[in-house]
Structure formats: structure tokens, C-alpha cells
Amino acid sequence: MIRLIKNIVGKTIRLLYKLTYRMIPVQKKTVLFIAFHGRGYTDNPRSIYEYMIQQERFQNYRFVWAIKHHRQKNLNIPGAKIIEYFSLSYFYYLARSKYWIVNCKLPMYVLKKKKQIYLQTWHGTPLKKLAFDIEVPEGTTFYRSGMNEDMMHETYRVDVEKYNYMISPSSFTTEVFQSAFRINRERLIETGYPRNDFLSNYDQDDVGAIKKQYHIPEDKKVLLYAPTWRDNSYVTKGYTFKLEVHFEKWQKILKDEYVVIFKPHYLIVNDFDIDQFKGFVYFVPPEEDIRNLYIISDALITDYSSVFFDYAILKRPMYFYMYDLDMYRDHLRGFYLDIYKDLPGKIIEEEDELLREIQRPYDYQQLECFNQRFNDHEDGHASQRVVDIVFKQEQI
């Protein structure tokens, strides 16, 4: 019954928005930020905001963040108005804001006026295939909604049609995005990712403060375990992830030297029974910003997530634990890269081999070549380049 009521209310709000959005005038100096469908204050939109709020030329702007359950999260963003995602205020500011700065595909009900400017920042350099590039068997369905391939493609077509600009972090990604999103080159701005400015500009005080925040011991090395989601594992609430590691084994072998931070992908909604590893495994909720975890980690363990492209900037060891490689590659997603030649770390399918590899010397030469190809724009000034392009008519 509650779900039915929510559906009716949601449909009513969307209908009112469709009927009235043109009646709400666009305000030239209002900017709306949305990250991961309102999941938090994070990623590229956060970094762009943090740059803009420091610039004198934007002192008369109104900045609005749409975030789910922001009151329960007790969230405060200095200099910004926070509104509830998918509320009446949210739809009002969709119609009111001159600029949208977003890192994810917007729902098809979102309507854009000609005077509005939509910056799509996206949220990662792609390893796994995206959108129009995904190759799957006939009859495959996508997302929890169960839409077919044509329907999935249409959601991207409708969204991409609205973009004024889309950020690309590298020439590799520029090429991929033209294929995956069917977007013309003129709208792609190859600037680097704003969220990675932090990885070039942080200092040791930042490291100390973040370790203190998460109660990470200073005398241990930190392994960051950050796996991605699987398209075929979900419940009504969202995507689920089966933890295919045995932390008791990790603890037995690594505890004298390491602790582990476990940070699931933002789409993952299920709980994890890891309380027994307190003091060795530190769980960080999926919706939290991963950038802080990068700088306090001595090495990264991931699978098919794009996090390794960003982490490579720090020039630290990375390990690719792909225990379900055949299934993921052949039935869920394909890859843009030759994972055995292009990735800056060894592909590992067995947990015991992963633990052995962590204790061996790491090949930094491969990482250097990787950064030259994929991270050549990451110099700590991407936010400035993006803002100068998107807000060029506002230059003083």
C-alpha cells in the first residue's frame, strides 16, 4: 500500500512538473548540482562546486544541491541551499536553474529549456562497456526495471540529446564516449576529471584528519577494497553484492601489516555481516565520497570498477580480483581494454593468489605507462578548465 501511494504521488508530481515547468522563468545565476541521483555531496559535481564557491566572480550565484534524505543525514554544505531530491523543490529548481551539473543519467521525465545549460560530468573512465556499446545476448534485460536493450538505449538517447557539454578525462575516453553515448565530438570537453584535483592537491594534514575520522590506526598499511555492482544481482530496493572474500583468511595472513577498508559501489544496497572483523575491516557506506579513502590507502583492490583509473594518479599498487571474470565479461558486460595487457596490475581470479600477490613486489613501470595514456590531463586544475568553458559567457 505504501509503495502504491508513493507511485501515485510520484506520478502526480511529474505531471504537475510537465504542465508547469515552462511557466517558471530561468534564473541566470542559479546552479543545480546532482550527484548519483541525489545520493550525496560527492564526485565531480562536488569538486566543481568547491572550486566555484571560492571564486569571486560567482559570489552572487545561488547554488542548490538536490540530495536524498538530507535532513536525516544532517548534511551541511556551506554556501549552498540543500533541497530534497524528488521533492516539489527539486522539480522547481530543475525548471528554475540556468545550469545543471550532474554526474549520472537523468530520468526521462526531466525536461530542459533551450536557455538552460546541462553539464554532464559522468563518473568514471570506462573499463566495462557502456550504453550503446554493451553487447549482450538477445532478450537481455537491464536494470531492476527489466527494460530491454532498445528501451535502455532510448534512455541514453533522450538524456544525451539534452547535454550542452560532457566531460572527458582523456583522449581514450573521448573516443569511447562518442561511441557509447552517440555524442558528437563538439560537445565533449577533454579537461580531466574535477574530482581528481584533490588527488594532486591534498597534503599530509588531510591524510591524518581522514584517518582520524575513520579511526584508522597510524601504524598499519591500508588496503582499500572497492568492488563494483553486478547487473544481474538486485532486489526491489536496489543492487546487491555477494561478498566473495573471506576476511578471516585476510586477517590471518595480513593483520600484522594491514587493515582493510571495504567500500562498496554506490548502487549496492544490501548489508554485510562483518562485525566480527572490527579493528581489521573498516566498512564505509556506499554513498560516501571515495576520494578521501584513496589518499589514506596504500593499495587498491578492485574488480571491474573504474576507480582504478583515478587511483592510478597516486602511483600506488593495484590488484584486480575478478573471481567471476568469465560471467562478467561474456554475459554481463564487455571491456574496452585488453585487461591482461592494459591494466596496471595483475588479473587475479583466486583469493589465495590475491593474498600472495599483495605480499610480492609491485611493477610500477606498468603503472607509469598506464598514467601516460589515461591520466595525462590530471594536473589538479580540471575544475578550473571545466568552469572556464561552461561559464565562459560569465567571465569578467
Side-chain angles (χ1 to χ4, degrees), residues 215-251:
H215 308 289
I216 305 296
E218 292 285 348
D219 61 339
K220 295 289 181 75
K221 292 181 180 179
V222 179
L223 289 171
L224 172 58
Y225 180 41
T228 193
W229 57 294
R230 271 65 174 167
D231 304 68
N232 63 346
S233 181
Y234 53 84
V235 293
T236 303
K237 186 180 177 182
Y239 289 92
T240 58
F241 177 73
K242 184 179 180 182
L243 192 58
E244 294 286 355
V245 300
H246 300 86
F247 282 135
E248 64 272 15
K249 185 182 294 186
W250 292 33
Q251 188 171 26

Side-chain angles (χ1 to χ4, degrees), residues 22-83:
R22 290 190 179 279
M23 300 167 60
I24 300 171
V26 172
Q27 191 170 58
K28 184 178 180 181
K29 294 187 176 182
T30 298
V31 187
L32 175 65
F33 296 85
I34 304 171
F36 297 123
H37 305 287
R39 284 177 172 83
Y41 174 57
T42 184
D43 205 72
N44 287 315
R46 173 180 177 174
S47 297
I48 293 171
Y49 171 74
E50 289 176 346
Y51 174 78
M52 292 182 71
I53 200 70
Q54 295 174 11
Q55 306 305 307
E56 184 177 354
R57 63 190 171 108
F58 296 112
Q59 63 180 350
N60 295 322
Y61 275 64
R62 167 172 281 190
F63 300 111
V64 181
W65 274 87
I67 297 179
K68 291 180 180 178
H69 313 305
H70 69 277
R71 291 189 178 87
Q72 294 93 314
K73 295 174 181 175
N74 197 28
L75 193 61
N76 177 46
I77 304 174
K81 177 183 178 66
I82 306 175
I83 59 172

